[in-house]
């Protein structure tokens, strides 16, 4: 782990988001083009390390303050969503589900972006009965949380 972690959630979020965006640009060969390319496995690992550092700092702040300030939740959701977007681009639905499970274990509120990215990664998989059940379960969870799928799904 890196030393000198800071308790500024926006700085951690920015590092995760920048890692994902940089990976997409490197993989795509620059800023041009109409579609974002999926980042490489190495780039996803680098972004995951930045996210892991943020989670460690979140847990430290939460422990020291007998609960984490609300601003941490917002920044963590954005950082996790950025990672989820990268993972959705790779088509790794198992990794995407683990990210969402980790979000829930931290007590983070999933938002429409989270659910829609999870649906996107599930829907690129080959059609099967088990996939239908996974998508149905996501849609049921979205409904229970009052979240709607976007028009791109």
């Amino acid at each position: 782990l890196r030393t000198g972690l800071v308790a500024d959630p926006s700085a951690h979020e920015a590092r995760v988001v920048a890692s994902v965006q940089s990976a997409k640009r490197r993989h795509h060969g620059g800023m041009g083009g109409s579609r974002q390319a999926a980042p490489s496995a190495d780039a996803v690992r680098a972004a995951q390390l930045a996210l892991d550092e943020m989670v460690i700092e979140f847990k430290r702040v939460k422990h020291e303050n007998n609960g984490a300030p609300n601003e941490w939740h917002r920044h963590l959701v954005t950082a996790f969503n950025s990672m989820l977007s990268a993972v959705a681009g790779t088509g790794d639905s198992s990794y995407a589900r683990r990210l969402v499970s980790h979000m829930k274990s931290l007590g983070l509120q999933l938002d429409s972006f989270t659910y829609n990215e999870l649906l996107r990664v599930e829907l690129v998989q080959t059609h099967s009965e088990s996939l239908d059940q996974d998508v149905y379960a996501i849609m049921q969870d979205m409904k229970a949380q009052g979240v709607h799928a976007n028009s791109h799904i």
Side-chain angles (χ1 to χ4, degrees), residues 122-146:
E122 291 290 350
L123 292 171
V124 299
Q125 304 297 316
T126 304
H127 181 72
S128 69
E129 188 173 316
S130 64
L131 170 64
D132 291 345
Q133 292 171 355
D134 291 342
V135 170
Y136 181 74
I138 294 167
M139 297 294 287
Q140 288 299 102
D141 195 26
M142 289 175 75
K143 184 177 179 180
Q145 299 299 321

PDB file of all heavy atoms in Angstrom, residues 122-146:
ATOM      1  N   GLU A 122     -24.337  -7.683 -17.547  1.00  0.00           N
ATOM      2  CA  GLU A 122     -25.094  -8.941 -17.597  1.00  0.00           C
ATOM      3  C   GLU A 122     -25.696  -9.174 -18.983  1.00  0.00           C
ATOM      4  O   GLU A 122     -25.733 -10.298 -19.472  1.00  0.00           O
ATOM      5  CB  GLU A 122     -26.202  -8.958 -16.544  1.00  0.00           C
ATOM      6  CG  GLU A 122     -25.719  -9.032 -15.120  1.00  0.00           C
ATOM      7  CD  GLU A 122     -25.096 -10.370 -14.743  1.00  0.00           C
ATOM      8  OE1 GLU A 122     -25.193 -11.349 -15.512  1.00  0.00           O
ATOM      9  OE2 GLU A 122     -24.502 -10.427 -13.656  1.00  0.00           O
ATOM     10  N   LEU A 123     -26.168  -8.114 -19.608  1.00  0.00           N
ATOM     11  CA  LEU A 123     -26.862  -8.254 -20.881  1.00  0.00           C
ATOM     12  C   LEU A 123     -25.934  -8.525 -22.068  1.00  0.00           C
ATOM     13  O   LEU A 123     -26.401  -8.952 -23.116  1.00  0.00           O
ATOM     14  CB  LEU A 123     -27.735  -7.027 -21.152  1.00  0.00           C
ATOM     15  CG  LEU A 123     -28.933  -6.897 -20.210  1.00  0.00           C
ATOM     16  CD1 LEU A 123     -29.623  -5.553 -20.396  1.00  0.00           C
ATOM     17  CD2 LEU A 123     -29.909  -8.046 -20.419  1.00  0.00           C
ATOM     18  N   VAL A 124     -24.622  -8.292 -21.911  1.00  0.00           N
ATOM     19  CA  VAL A 124     -23.709  -8.612 -23.008  1.00  0.00           C
ATOM     20  C   VAL A 124     -23.340 -10.085 -23.016  1.00  0.00           C
ATOM     21  O   VAL A 124     -22.731 -10.566 -23.962  1.00  0.00           O
ATOM     22  CB  VAL A 124     -22.422  -7.751 -22.987  1.00  0.00           C
ATOM     23  CG1 VAL A 124     -22.750  -6.290 -23.133  1.00  0.00           C
ATOM     24  CG2 VAL A 124     -21.592  -8.018 -21.759  1.00  0.00           C
ATOM     25  N   GLN A 125     -23.721 -10.805 -21.970  1.00  0.00           N
ATOM     26  CA  GLN A 125     -23.446 -12.240 -21.894  1.00  0.00           C
ATOM     27  C   GLN A 125     -24.402 -12.993 -22.819  1.00  0.00           C
ATOM     28  O   GLN A 125     -25.454 -12.500 -23.183  1.00  0.00           O
ATOM     29  CB  GLN A 125     -23.622 -12.746 -20.451  1.00  0.00           C
ATOM     30  CG  GLN A 125     -22.774 -12.020 -19.441  1.00  0.00           C
ATOM     31  CD  GLN A 125     -21.291 -12.189 -19.691  1.00  0.00           C
ATOM     32  OE1 GLN A 125     -20.825 -13.291 -19.978  1.00  0.00           O
ATOM     33  NE2 GLN A 125     -20.552 -11.106 -19.603  1.00  0.00           N
ATOM     34  N   THR A 126     -24.027 -14.199 -23.157  1.00  0.00           N
ATOM     35  CA  THR A 126     -24.868 -15.062 -23.980  1.00  0.00           C
ATOM     36  C   THR A 126     -26.175 -15.346 -23.249  1.00  0.00           C
ATOM     37  O   THR A 126     -26.178 -15.584 -22.050  1.00  0.00           O
ATOM     38  CB  THR A 126     -24.142 -16.388 -24.275  1.00  0.00           C
ATOM     39  OG1 THR A 126     -22.892 -16.085 -24.873  1.00  0.00           O
ATOM     40  CG2 THR A 126     -24.959 -17.272 -25.189  1.00  0.00           C
ATOM     41  N   HIS A 127     -27.273 -15.333 -23.974  1.00  0.00           N
ATOM     42  CA  HIS A 127     -28.595 -15.573 -23.388  1.00  0.00           C
ATOM     43  C   HIS A 127     -28.666 -16.978 -22.806  1.00  0.00           C
ATOM     44  O   HIS A 127     -28.299 -17.951 -23.438  1.00  0.00           O
ATOM     45  CB  HIS A 127     -29.678 -15.391 -24.456  1.00  0.00           C
ATOM     46  CG  HIS A 127     -31.057 -15.600 -23.927  1.00  0.00           C
ATOM     47  ND1 HIS A 127     -31.666 -14.703 -23.103  1.00  0.00           N
ATOM     48  CD2 HIS A 127     -31.921 -16.622 -24.087  1.00  0.00           C
ATOM     49  CE1 HIS A 127     -32.863 -15.162 -22.789  1.00  0.00           C
ATOM     50  NE2 HIS A 127     -33.044 -16.324 -23.377  1.00  0.00           N
ATOM     51  N   SER A 128     -29.142 -17.058 -21.577  1.00  0.00           N
ATOM     52  CA  SER A 128     -29.334 -18.357 -20.930  1.00  0.00           C
ATOM     53  C   SER A 128     -30.378 -18.178 -19.834  1.00  0.00           C
ATOM     54  O   SER A 128     -30.705 -17.070 -19.440  1.00  0.00           O
ATOM     55  CB  SER A 128     -28.028 -18.867 -20.317  1.00  0.00           C
ATOM     56  OG  SER A 128     -27.675 -18.072 -19.212  1.00  0.00           O
ATOM     57  N   GLU A 129     -30.887 -19.294 -19.342  1.00  0.00           N
ATOM     58  CA  GLU A 129     -31.880 -19.230 -18.274  1.00  0.00           C
ATOM     59  C   GLU A 129     -31.287 -18.618 -17.004  1.00  0.00           C
ATOM     60  O   GLU A 129     -31.924 -17.818 -16.329  1.00  0.00           O
ATOM     61  CB  GLU A 129     -32.429 -20.631 -17.973  1.00  0.00           C
ATOM     62  CG  GLU A 129     -33.595 -20.595 -17.007  1.00  0.00           C
ATOM     63  CD  GLU A 129     -34.238 -21.964 -16.848  1.00  0.00           C
ATOM     64  OE1 GLU A 129     -34.437 -22.656 -17.861  1.00  0.00           O
ATOM     65  OE2 GLU A 129     -34.525 -22.311 -15.689  1.00  0.00           O
ATOM     66  N   SER A 130     -30.023 -18.969 -16.691  1.00  0.00           N
ATOM     67  CA  SER A 130     -29.402 -18.407 -15.482  1.00  0.00           C
ATOM     68  C   SER A 130     -29.170 -16.907 -15.644  1.00  0.00           C
ATOM     69  O   SER A 130     -29.309 -16.153 -14.676  1.00  0.00           O
ATOM     70  CB  SER A 130     -28.101 -19.124 -15.148  1.00  0.00           C
ATOM     71  OG  SER A 130     -27.139 -18.922 -16.158  1.00  0.00           O
ATOM     72  N   LEU A 131     -28.841 -16.462 -16.856  1.00  0.00           N
ATOM     73  CA  LEU A 131     -28.682 -15.024 -17.106  1.00  0.00           C
ATOM     74  C   LEU A 131     -30.009 -14.327 -16.907  1.00  0.00           C
ATOM     75  O   LEU A 131     -30.081 -13.273 -16.278  1.00  0.00           O
ATOM     76  CB  LEU A 131     -28.161 -14.755 -18.516  1.00  0.00           C
ATOM     77  CG  LEU A 131     -28.182 -13.290 -18.957  1.00  0.00           C
ATOM     78  CD1 LEU A 131     -27.248 -12.454 -18.094  1.00  0.00           C
ATOM     79  CD2 LEU A 131     -27.831 -13.168 -20.411  1.00  0.00           C
ATOM     80  N   ASP A 132     -31.081 -14.909 -17.422  1.00  0.00           N
ATOM     81  CA  ASP A 132     -32.405 -14.322 -17.239  1.00  0.00           C
ATOM     82  C   ASP A 132     -32.723 -14.148 -15.759  1.00  0.00           C
ATOM     83  O   ASP A 132     -33.268 -13.132 -15.349  1.00  0.00           O
ATOM     84  CB  ASP A 132     -33.482 -15.194 -17.892  1.00  0.00           C
ATOM     85  CG  ASP A 132     -33.407 -15.189 -19.418  1.00  0.00           C
ATOM     86  OD1 ASP A 132     -32.720 -14.318 -19.977  1.00  0.00           O
ATOM     87  OD2 ASP A 132     -34.037 -16.069 -20.026  1.00  0.00           O
ATOM     88  N   GLN A 133     -32.366 -15.134 -14.945  1.00  0.00           N
ATOM     89  CA  GLN A 133     -32.605 -15.049 -13.505  1.00  0.00           C
ATOM     90  C   GLN A 133     -31.767 -13.942 -12.869  1.00  0.00           C
ATOM     91  O   GLN A 133     -32.244 -13.215 -12.008  1.00  0.00           O
ATOM     92  CB  GLN A 133     -32.319 -16.397 -12.841  1.00  0.00           C
ATOM     93  CG  GLN A 133     -33.309 -17.464 -13.224  1.00  0.00           C
ATOM     94  CD  GLN A 133     -32.894 -18.843 -12.741  1.00  0.00           C
ATOM     95  OE1 GLN A 133     -31.810 -19.028 -12.198  1.00  0.00           O
ATOM     96  NE2 GLN A 133     -33.775 -19.819 -12.943  1.00  0.00           N
ATOM     97  N   ASP A 134     -30.500 -13.805 -13.307  1.00  0.00           N
ATOM     98  CA  ASP A 134     -29.629 -12.748 -12.782  1.00  0.00           C
ATOM     99  C   ASP A 134     -30.190 -11.368 -13.119  1.00  0.00           C
ATOM    100  O   ASP A 134     -30.240 -10.482 -12.266  1.00  0.00           O
ATOM    101  CB  ASP A 134     -28.214 -12.859 -13.350  1.00  0.00           C
ATOM    102  CG  ASP A 134     -27.458 -14.080 -12.846  1.00  0.00           C
ATOM    103  OD1 ASP A 134     -27.872 -14.659 -11.815  1.00  0.00           O
ATOM    104  OD2 ASP A 134     -26.459 -14.453 -13.492  1.00  0.00           O
ATOM    105  N   VAL A 135     -30.597 -11.180 -14.371  1.00  0.00           N
ATOM    106  CA  VAL A 135     -31.148  -9.893 -14.802  1.00  0.00           C
ATOM    107  C   VAL A 135     -32.448  -9.611 -14.055  1.00  0.00           C
ATOM    108  O   VAL A 135     -32.682  -8.486 -13.589  1.00  0.00           O
ATOM    109  CB  VAL A 135     -31.365  -9.859 -16.335  1.00  0.00           C
ATOM    110  CG1 VAL A 135     -32.151  -8.626 -16.760  1.00  0.00           C
ATOM    111  CG2 VAL A 135     -30.014  -9.905 -17.050  1.00  0.00           C
ATOM    112  N   TYR A 136     -33.291 -10.620 -13.913  1.00  0.00           N
ATOM    113  CA  TYR A 136     -34.555 -10.451 -13.185  1.00  0.00           C
ATOM    114  C   TYR A 136     -34.287 -10.037 -11.735  1.00  0.00           C
ATOM    115  O   TYR A 136     -34.944  -9.147 -11.199  1.00  0.00           O
ATOM    116  CB  TYR A 136     -35.379 -11.744 -13.233  1.00  0.00           C
ATOM    117  CG  TYR A 136     -36.704 -11.632 -12.531  1.00  0.00           C
ATOM    118  CD1 TYR A 136     -37.749 -10.915 -13.100  1.00  0.00           C
ATOM    119  CD2 TYR A 136     -36.901 -12.223 -11.286  1.00  0.00           C
ATOM    120  CE1 TYR A 136     -38.973 -10.798 -12.442  1.00  0.00           C
ATOM    121  CE2 TYR A 136     -38.118 -12.115 -10.629  1.00  0.00           C
ATOM    122  CZ  TYR A 136     -39.145 -11.398 -11.206  1.00  0.00           C
ATOM    123  OH  TYR A 136     -40.351 -11.271 -10.555  1.00  0.00           O
ATOM    124  N   ALA A 137     -33.292 -10.667 -11.101  1.00  0.00           N
ATOM    125  CA  ALA A 137     -32.961 -10.336  -9.711  1.00  0.00           C
ATOM    126  C   ALA A 137     -32.474  -8.887  -9.598  1.00  0.00           C
ATOM    127  O   ALA A 137     -32.843  -8.170  -8.660  1.00  0.00           O
ATOM    128  CB  ALA A 137     -31.897 -11.292  -9.175  1.00  0.00           C
ATOM    129  N   ILE A 138     -31.680  -8.443 -10.557  1.00  0.00           N
ATOM    130  CA  ILE A 138     -31.208  -7.049 -10.557  1.00  0.00           C
ATOM    131  C   ILE A 138     -32.393  -6.111 -10.717  1.00  0.00           C
ATOM    132  O   ILE A 138     -32.506  -5.104 -10.000  1.00  0.00           O
ATOM    133  CB  ILE A 138     -30.167  -6.816 -11.676  1.00  0.00           C
ATOM    134  CG1 ILE A 138     -28.893  -7.622 -11.392  1.00  0.00           C
ATOM    135  CG2 ILE A 138     -29.837  -5.323 -11.806  1.00  0.00           C
ATOM    136  CD1 ILE A 138     -27.953  -7.712 -12.577  1.00  0.00           C
ATOM    137  N   MET A 139     -33.279  -6.426 -11.644  1.00  0.00           N
ATOM    138  CA  MET A 139     -34.450  -5.577 -11.882  1.00  0.00           C
ATOM    139  C   MET A 139     -35.353  -5.528 -10.643  1.00  0.00           C
ATOM    140  O   MET A 139     -35.891  -4.472 -10.307  1.00  0.00           O
ATOM    141  CB  MET A 139     -35.235  -6.059 -13.104  1.00  0.00           C
ATOM    142  CG  MET A 139     -34.461  -5.979 -14.417  1.00  0.00           C
ATOM    143  SD  MET A 139     -34.083  -4.300 -14.924  1.00  0.00           S
ATOM    144  CE  MET A 139     -35.680  -3.746 -15.442  1.00  0.00           C
ATOM    145  N   GLN A 140     -35.508  -6.646  -9.950  1.00  0.00           N
ATOM    146  CA  GLN A 140     -36.314  -6.677  -8.722  1.00  0.00           C
ATOM    147  C   GLN A 140     -35.674  -5.802  -7.639  1.00  0.00           C
ATOM    148  O   GLN A 140     -36.375  -5.076  -6.932  1.00  0.00           O
ATOM    149  CB  GLN A 140     -36.492  -8.112  -8.220  1.00  0.00           C
ATOM    150  CG  GLN A 140     -37.430  -8.937  -9.082  1.00  0.00           C
ATOM    151  CD  GLN A 140     -38.828  -8.350  -9.114  1.00  0.00           C
ATOM    152  OE1 GLN A 140     -39.206  -7.701 -10.072  1.00  0.00           O
ATOM    153  NE2 GLN A 140     -39.577  -8.543  -8.054  1.00  0.00           N
ATOM    154  N   ASP A 141     -34.339  -5.882  -7.517  1.00  0.00           N
ATOM    155  CA  ASP A 141     -33.633  -5.062  -6.537  1.00  0.00           C
ATOM    156  C   ASP A 141     -33.780  -3.576  -6.885  1.00  0.00           C
ATOM    157  O   ASP A 141     -34.008  -2.749  -6.001  1.00  0.00           O
ATOM    158  CB  ASP A 141     -32.158  -5.464  -6.478  1.00  0.00           C
ATOM    159  CG  ASP A 141     -31.443  -4.938  -5.259  1.00  0.00           C
ATOM    160  OD1 ASP A 141     -32.097  -4.687  -4.221  1.00  0.00           O
ATOM    161  OD2 ASP A 141     -30.209  -4.766  -5.330  1.00  0.00           O
ATOM    162  N   MET A 142     -33.672  -3.262  -8.170  1.00  0.00           N
ATOM    163  CA  MET A 142     -33.849  -1.869  -8.605  1.00  0.00           C
ATOM    164  C   MET A 142     -35.243  -1.368  -8.228  1.00  0.00           C
ATOM    165  O   MET A 142     -35.394  -0.264  -7.702  1.00  0.00           O
ATOM    166  CB  MET A 142     -33.650  -1.748 -10.124  1.00  0.00           C
ATOM    167  CG  MET A 142     -32.225  -1.914 -10.580  1.00  0.00           C
ATOM    168  SD  MET A 142     -32.072  -1.918 -12.385  1.00  0.00           S
ATOM    169  CE  MET A 142     -32.308  -0.177 -12.738  1.00  0.00           C
ATOM    170  N   LYS A 143     -36.243  -2.183  -8.502  1.00  0.00           N
ATOM    171  CA  LYS A 143     -37.624  -1.801  -8.190  1.00  0.00           C
ATOM    172  C   LYS A 143     -37.791  -1.563  -6.698  1.00  0.00           C
ATOM    173  O   LYS A 143     -38.407  -0.578  -6.272  1.00  0.00           O
ATOM    174  CB  LYS A 143     -38.581  -2.895  -8.672  1.00  0.00           C
ATOM    175  CG  LYS A 143     -40.040  -2.560  -8.485  1.00  0.00           C
ATOM    176  CD  LYS A 143     -40.923  -3.664  -9.047  1.00  0.00           C
ATOM    177  CE  LYS A 143     -42.394  -3.335  -8.830  1.00  0.00           C
ATOM    178  NZ  LYS A 143     -43.260  -4.389  -9.358  1.00  0.00           N
ATOM    179  N   ALA A 144     -37.215  -2.455  -5.881  1.00  0.00           N
ATOM    180  CA  ALA A 144     -37.320  -2.317  -4.426  1.00  0.00           C
ATOM    181  C   ALA A 144     -36.650  -1.040  -3.928  1.00  0.00           C
ATOM    182  O   ALA A 144     -37.082  -0.445  -2.946  1.00  0.00           O
ATOM    183  CB  ALA A 144     -36.694  -3.533  -3.740  1.00  0.00           C
ATOM    184  N   GLN A 145     -35.606  -0.597  -4.637  1.00  0.00           N
ATOM    185  CA  GLN A 145     -34.886   0.610  -4.246  1.00  0.00           C
ATOM    186  C   GLN A 145     -35.449   1.870  -4.917  1.00  0.00           C
ATOM    187  O   GLN A 145     -34.953   2.968  -4.681  1.00  0.00           O
ATOM    188  CB  GLN A 145     -33.398   0.483  -4.595  1.00  0.00           C
ATOM    189  CG  GLN A 145     -32.694  -0.661  -3.881  1.00  0.00           C
ATOM    190  CD  GLN A 145     -32.731  -0.506  -2.378  1.00  0.00           C
ATOM    191  OE1 GLN A 145     -32.601   0.585  -1.841  1.00  0.00           O
ATOM    192  NE2 GLN A 145     -32.938  -1.614  -1.679  1.00  0.00           N
ATOM    193  N   GLY A 146     -36.448   1.695  -5.799  1.00  0.00           N
ATOM    194  CA  GLY A 146     -37.028   2.840  -6.494  1.00  0.00           C
ATOM    195  C   GLY A 146     -36.145   3.394  -7.594  1.00  0.00           C
ATOM    196  O   GLY A 146     -36.217   4.574  -7.938  1.00  0.00           O
TER     197      GLY A 146
END
